[in-house]
Amino acid sequence: MQLQFSPSMRSITISSNNGFIDLMKIKVAACHISYRTLFHTILILAFLLPFVFILTAVVTLEGVNKCSSFDCLGRRLGPRLLGRVDDSTQRLVRDFYKILNEVKTGEIPPGLKLPNSFDQMVSDMKNNQYDSKTFAFMLKGMMEKFEKEIRESKFAELMNKHFAASSVPKGINCLSLRLTDEYSSNAHARKQLPRPELLPMLSDNSYRHFILSTDNILAASVVVASTVQSSQKPENIVFHVITDKKTYAGMHSWFALNPPSPAIVEVKGIHQFDWLTRENVPVLEAIESQNGIRNYYHGNHIMGANLTDTTPRKFASKLQARSPKYISLLNHIRIYIPELFPNLDKVVFLDDDVVVQHDLSPLWEIDMNGKVNGAVETCKGEDEWVMSKHFRNYFNFSHPIIAKHLDPDECAWAYGMNVFDLQTWRMTNIRETYHSWLKENLRSNMTMWKLGTLPPALIAFRGHVHPIDPSWHMLGLGYQYKTDVENVKMAAVIHYNGQSKPWLEIGFENLRPFWNKYVNYSNDFVRNCHIMES
């Protein structure tokens, strides 16, 4: 052992006698350390270091298997002081990885009984003394088993959710039946809408005209109530509610008995529009009557589907595309608005699953720059579920016709709250383009797209869309429960597009209050049908 002091006395080097390795080098601070303290420190180190060195070297070389705490200390620290590392742990890990790679491509032994829980696995390991390879096969089998059960449960959940979204809740069906009965027995429920003196307002373009197409009376009541209550000048609002023949009496009864004064409401059934004939709507007639199309939307969605080759997300998308509403004329009616309302110049179209939270009258002041459709673009957001939609999300670009005519990166836009310039629309061929592409998709057995009315509209309105600010229309409340509530509060129109409608049990509890606040729970029909506030 040698001690070497630097000339300045600021560093001390402790080395072995033959100078083979420096064991320690001490730098002495310029001040605050007395020579007595330094001397004592050097004496202690000179005494301990040779002892530790010899002990660790002996223990390491002899490879002691069982050692006392002090011996083990030397065994663990010695190799590190000498620059050596015990690789027994690394060897164990390498061996285990090797076994896992073998098991990854191997078949699970047919006689291996898989446990149903972690506790059972531990018990089996203790009782049967499995080797590491058997243990790895057991883990693989358990994981494959649980993954299969999880996938099956997820697909079952998606199917149940699809059926729930496609069905009519008992309370809403009750409301429609009771109001229909009221129409036949109560003269007030059959009174003219609007009153005769207000009929000229239905075609007066100085009013703000809204169009709503639905067979859901409760949903229609919320759309109208929220729009009127949010308006700064509700007396300037005219609502044109379009419904089907079976719902007409109940819809008329509701607004006759619950008029949203001072706004004006007109209720019309599809059967009351003389223009909607088979000759004018040939494609829709084919969609509603063709057996193959009906089976596509109403048939067994599991039969013929290979669930092992798809993901739950893709399966959910396919189910949504098979919603029966997509073959309803009420869903396609928006493409015929210019013909159904020939005297109107500008309207706002609303879906029945929206809630209006701010005054929408400024929409009529937007300069459309010669465009037909004022809509929120859905391709300029970070949210991949709602605001990152391009044509590739809706069309099958492996189809040669789609690949030839469309750009997969073209921006999509939202249906559900649209400003339509009907004067400009009437000078275009939008309706004819819509029809021709629907026919083409039918001829291709619906291989060009599968999701309802938006894809053909995306094509028909190409070059006719004027982007409006996203704050006017917030989407995704029907399939994204993590929607930011603060953003919901600020949006002018919130849209529950998706399966989880607020009037369904599968609706999201945190987003339902924005819809519930416009439901008239004090109404006798609502209470008697047990449509209760949640």
Side-chain angles (χ1 to χ4, degrees):
M1 181 68 63
Q2 293 180 354
L3 301 179
Q4 297 177 357
F5 296 85
S6 67
S8 62
M9 296 295 292
R10 292 180 178 268
S11 67
I12 302 170
T13 302
I14 305 172
S15 64
S16 60
N17 290 330
N18 57 8
F20 178 73
I21 185 171
D22 291 340
L23 294 181
M24 184 167 293
K25 192 170 186 178
I26 303 174
K27 289 187 177 181
V28 183
C31 57
H32 305 298
I33 300 178
S34 67
Y35 286 105
R36 177 174 295 181
T37 302
L38 179 60
F39 180 74
H40 290 165
T41 301
I42 294 171
L43 287 179
I44 293 172
L45 290 174
F47 175 77
L48 289 178
L49 287 176
F51 177 79
V52 172
F53 176 82
I54 294 171
L55 178 62
T56 54
V58 171
V59 172
T60 302
L61 292 174
E62 290 181 352
V64 179
N65 293 322
K66 295 182 180 181
C67 55
S68 65
S69 298
F70 192 70
D71 289 337
C72 288
L73 177 63
R75 185 177 181 184
R76 293 169 184 170
L77 293 179
R80 286 169 174 77
L81 290 173
L82 293 173
R84 297 170 51 190
V85 178
D86 185 2
D87 64 346
S88 59
T89 301
Q90 294 181 0
R91 191 185 310 114
L92 177 62
V93 171
R94 285 196 301 269
D95 292 343
F96 190 63
Y97 283 156
K98 182 179 180 181
I99 292 173
L100 290 179
N101 286 328
E102 293 175 0
V103 169
K104 180 180 179 181
T105 56
E107 294 291 334
I108 299 175
L112 184 63
K113 184 179 180 182
L114 299 178
N116 295 317
S117 65
F118 179 77
D119 290 340
Q120 185 179 346
M121 182 185 71
V122 173
S123 177
D124 290 348
M125 291 293 295
K126 290 180 178 179
N127 296 333
N128 299 312
Q129 296 293 312
Y130 292 131
D131 57 24
S132 57
K133 192 168 186 177
T134 305
F135 172 71
F137 271 121
M138 186 178 294
L139 285 179
K140 178 183 179 181
M142 288 179 65
M143 293 187 68
E144 289 180 351
K145 174 185 175 183
F146 293 149
E147 285 176 356
K148 181 181 178 181
E149 291 177 353
I150 291 172
R151 279 178 60 85
E152 291 175 350
S153 299
K154 185 63 178 178
F155 285 126
E157 176 193 351
L158 291 172
M159 281 300 301
N160 292 334
K161 193 172 183 179
H162 172 71
F163 291 137
S166 303
S167 62
V168 179
K170 182 179 178 181
I172 292 180
N173 186 55
C174 166
L175 183 66
S176 179
L177 293 175
R178 286 177 177 264
L179 287 168
T180 299
D181 181 66
E182 194 73 10
Y183 184 86
S184 62
S185 59
N186 186 345
H188 291 289
R190 295 193 304 272
K191 68 181 180 181
Q192 184 174 343
L193 286 178
R195 301 191 307 272
E197 63 271 20
L198 297 178
L199 288 177
M201 312 309 177
L202 298 180
S203 56
D204 188 340
N205 284 292
S206 66
Y207 283 76
R208 307 308 189 193
H209 293 268
F210 293 88
I211 296 177
L212 170 65
S213 175
T214 181
D215 60 355
N216 187 327
I217 298 173
L218 187 65
S221 72
V222 169
V223 175
V224 173
S226 64
T227 305
V228 173
Q229 293 179 35
S230 300
S231 174
Q232 295 181 2
K233 294 183 178 180
E235 65 275 8
N236 288 342
I237 290 178
V238 177
F239 253 100
H240 305 270
V241 180
I242 306 173
T243 190
D244 56 16
K245 189 172 184 179
K246 66 178 175 56
T247 314
Y248 171 76
M251 189 76 73
H252 189 284
S253 294
W254 175 267
F255 287 107
L257 299 174
N258 304 278
S261 300
I264 299 170
V265 175
E266 172 193 33
V267 178
K268 295 200 73 171
I270 290 178
H271 60 287
Q272 296 175 321
F273 287 101
D274 296 334
W275 187 86
L276 288 176
T277 63
R278 294 186 179 183
E279 292 74 22
N280 291 330
V281 204
V283 176
L284 299 182
E285 178 66 22
I287 288 177
E288 291 185 337
S289 60
Q290 186 173 328
N291 289 332
I293 302 301
R294 292 191 65 82
N295 288 336
Y296 175 82
Y297 287 102
H298 294 280
N300 188 333
H301 300 328
I302 291 290
M303 185 178 298
N306 188 354
L307 300 183
T308 60
D309 292 339
T310 188
T311 64
R313 181 172 177 176
K314 290 181 180 179
F315 186 65
S317 178
K318 290 180 180 180
L319 287 178
Q320 184 180 357
R322 293 191 175 199
S323 173
K325 72 177 184 178
Y326 292 135
I327 59 172
S328 166
L329 183 55
L330 283 175
N331 198 44
H332 290 266
I333 202 75
R334 65 194 82 187
I335 203 68
Y336 306 113
I337 289 176
E339 289 76 23
L340 301 181
F341 300 95
N343 298 318
L344 298 182
D345 296 339
K346 202 171 190 179
V347 301
V348 169
F349 178 86
L350 297 174
D351 272 349
D352 64 356
D353 53 354
V354 307
V355 172
V356 178
Q357 301 187 123
H358 299 308
D359 181 32
L360 298 185
S361 58
L363 291 174
W364 274 263
E365 310 304 324
I366 294 177
D367 183 0
M368 302 275 283
N369 296 317
K371 304 297 184 181
V372 172
N373 178 7
V376 169
E377 292 183 317
T378 56
C379 67
K380 298 179 179 178
E382 297 179 357
D383 184 353
E384 64 173 334
W385 286 94
V386 181
M387 298 302 288
S388 297
K389 301 292 187 182
H390 296 79
F391 274 28
R392 72 171 72 91
N393 299 105
Y394 297 97
F395 297 100
N396 174 20
F397 277 88
S398 63
H399 194 288
I401 296 179
I402 293 295
K404 179 180 178 181
H405 291 90
L406 302 181
D407 178 4
D409 295 322
E410 189 166 344
C411 187
W413 46 267
Y415 250 162
M417 198 287 293
N418 303 85
V419 185
F420 289 131
D421 184 337
L422 302 186
Q423 283 185 312
T424 305
W425 189 339
R426 294 185 185 101
M427 296 185 289
T428 70
N429 62 345
I430 290 175
R431 176 168 58 88
E432 289 74 17
T433 303
Y434 187 89
H435 277 174
S436 65
W437 279 90
L438 275 178
K439 291 178 181 178
E440 194 66 48
N441 194 34
L442 284 173
R443 283 194 291 268
S444 69
N445 197 27
M446 292 186 297
T447 57
M448 298 167 71
W449 70 81
K450 297 183 181 296
L451 188 61
T453 56
L454 181 55
L458 290 174
I459 302 176
F461 282 100
R462 290 181 76 195
H464 299 290
V465 177
H466 175 74
I468 62 177
D469 193 277
S471 63
W472 284 112
H473 186 189
M474 182 177 184
L475 298 109
L477 277 71
Y479 57 81
Q480 187 161 256
Y481 73 95
K482 291 183 179 179
T483 302
D484 191 320
V485 173
E486 294 303 317
N487 290 337
V488 173
K489 294 178 181 177
M490 294 186 292
V493 175
I494 55 176
H495 194 170
Y496 291 85
N497 58 312
Q499 292 180 315
S500 301
K501 305 299 185 188
W503 56 82
L504 299 174
E505 291 290 336
I506 59 176
F508 301 127
E509 293 295 332
N510 61 322
L511 300 176
R512 186 177 284 133
F514 296 96
W515 187 83
N516 277 342
K517 66 183 294 188
Y518 295 104
V519 177
N520 184 3
Y521 288 104
S522 63
N523 181 273
D524 288 340
F525 291 98
V526 173
R527 287 191 295 106
N528 291 336
C529 287
H530 304 289
I531 301 175
M532 304 301 295
E533 185 172 7
S534 59

